[in-house]
Amino acid sequence: MTKSRGINRPKWVWTSEQLALIRQDFPRVKTRVLAQRLGCTDAVLSAKARRIGIGKSAEFLASPESGRMLTGSQRGAATRFSAGQESWNKGTHYVAGGRSAETRFRPGVRPHTWLPIGSYRINSCGVLERKVNDLPGANHVRWHPVARLIWEEANGPVPKNHIVVFKPGRASTVLERITLDCVECISRGENIRRNHPRSKSPELAKLVQIKGAITRQVNRIQREADEAQRTTT
């Protein structure tokens, strides 16, 4: 096993005296105060208390020491907004100082990455897209896959819960090769079945099953170890 080289904190080892103190004082003492007495952090103490089933008592939670905002409490009343109170900057607009005005965008200014309608690009997924409008919003609002545009030109809008995909072995990012005969409209369910590991490769599907079985066994062993630790503490 690779050592942490001091990156991870060492595991806290609890003595029987410390565990007894946690069971006795944690329900009625502020966590920070008790953590200082034990020489650990608040997070370490809170985690240990949860593992051994210890929580704060109802009396502590109802006291001012808990820091809770209880019904009818006047804590912080001096700094609260009162009904009808207006903020000091109501009706004003923030104006940045300095030389910020020199670098602000003017109306109609476009970023250097802007492209005109009708431009083409290959997106991060390797799909050829065409820009169809200059509407604001996410990229998919302005950029549509060429395969879908070609199918829609011949058949109309894509039905609900369906997508346009390339036929097997016909995918391309070359505009001239993306024709109506190489694309098809299928349901999302069919697309999932086509791309499932069992469909793409029986060997890969078997490896996925083996990995799942190993993960379940590891999780089972970890749960049993955690349960044994809770029982002993």
Side-chain angles (χ1 to χ4, degrees):
M1 181 180 293
T2 303
K3 295 183 178 180
S4 67
R5 302 188 301 277
I7 297 174
N8 298 324
R9 292 182 178 179
K11 184 177 180 180
W12 190 273
V13 179
W14 299 94
T15 65
S16 57
E17 292 79 7
Q18 289 174 325
L19 293 174
L21 187 62
I22 292 175
R23 292 188 173 93
Q24 174 185 326
D25 288 353
F26 187 83
R28 59 186 180 84
V29 178
K30 200 168 186 178
T31 303
R32 182 171 300 175
V33 174
L34 184 57
Q36 290 174 350
R37 288 165 54 187
L38 293 170
C40 64
T41 64
D42 300 2
V44 169
L45 175 57
S46 298
K48 187 60 178 178
R50 284 195 301 271
R51 283 197 294 270
I52 63 178
I54 303 297
K56 297 298 184 184
S57 65
E59 293 77 14
F60 176 82
L61 294 176
S63 68
E65 188 71 10
S66 69
R68 289 189 166 191
M69 292 292 292
L70 304 177
T71 303
S73 173
Q74 294 301 309
R75 183 179 181 182
T79 56
R80 296 177 194 169
F81 280 105
S82 57
Q85 180 179 349
E86 296 182 352
S87 62
W88 64 270
N89 59 348
K90 179 180 179 181
T92 63
H93 298 280
Y94 174 75
V95 178
R99 301 179 57 191
S100 64
E102 300 175 16
T103 57
R104 296 175 195 167
F105 281 106
R106 270 70 174 179
V109 174
R110 296 188 173 102
H112 68 281
T113 55
W114 177 87
L115 293 173
I117 295 174
S119 300
Y120 292 89
R121 72 167 190 177
I122 299 176
N123 66 16
S124 59
C125 297
V127 176
L128 183 66
E129 295 180 325
R130 184 168 72 209
K131 189 174 184 180
V132 297
N133 59 61
D134 262 325
L135 296 175
N139 279 332
H140 68 81
V141 175
R142 296 180 294 278
W143 296 87
H144 293 181
V146 172
R148 191 180 81 192
L149 293 175
I150 290 177
W151 190 91
E152 287 181 331
E153 289 174 1
N155 301 281
V158 177
K160 185 178 180 180
N161 295 327
H162 284 66
I163 59 174
V164 175
V165 298
F166 287 100
K167 293 178 181 179
R170 303 293 300 277
S172 177
T173 56
V174 179
L175 180 61
E176 292 74 15
R177 296 181 182 177
I178 304 177
T179 55
L180 186 60
D181 64 306
C182 70
V183 299
E184 59 181 335
C185 182
I186 62 174
S187 67
R188 294 186 180 276
E190 173 63 22
N191 186 57
I192 292 174
R193 287 188 289 272
R194 288 187 182 184
N195 292 280
H196 193 277
R198 188 180 298 109
S199 302
K200 298 179 74 67
S201 170
E203 294 79 9
L204 178 59
K206 187 64 176 178
L207 289 176
V208 171
Q209 292 176 347
I210 295 174
K211 179 180 179 296
I214 295 174
T215 301
R216 288 191 293 272
Q217 292 299 321
V218 171
N219 291 339
R220 178 184 60 79
I221 294 172
Q222 184 63 50
R223 287 195 301 270
E224 292 176 353
D226 293 342
E227 183 63 28
Q229 183 181 6
R230 285 195 294 269
T231 303
T232 56
T233 57

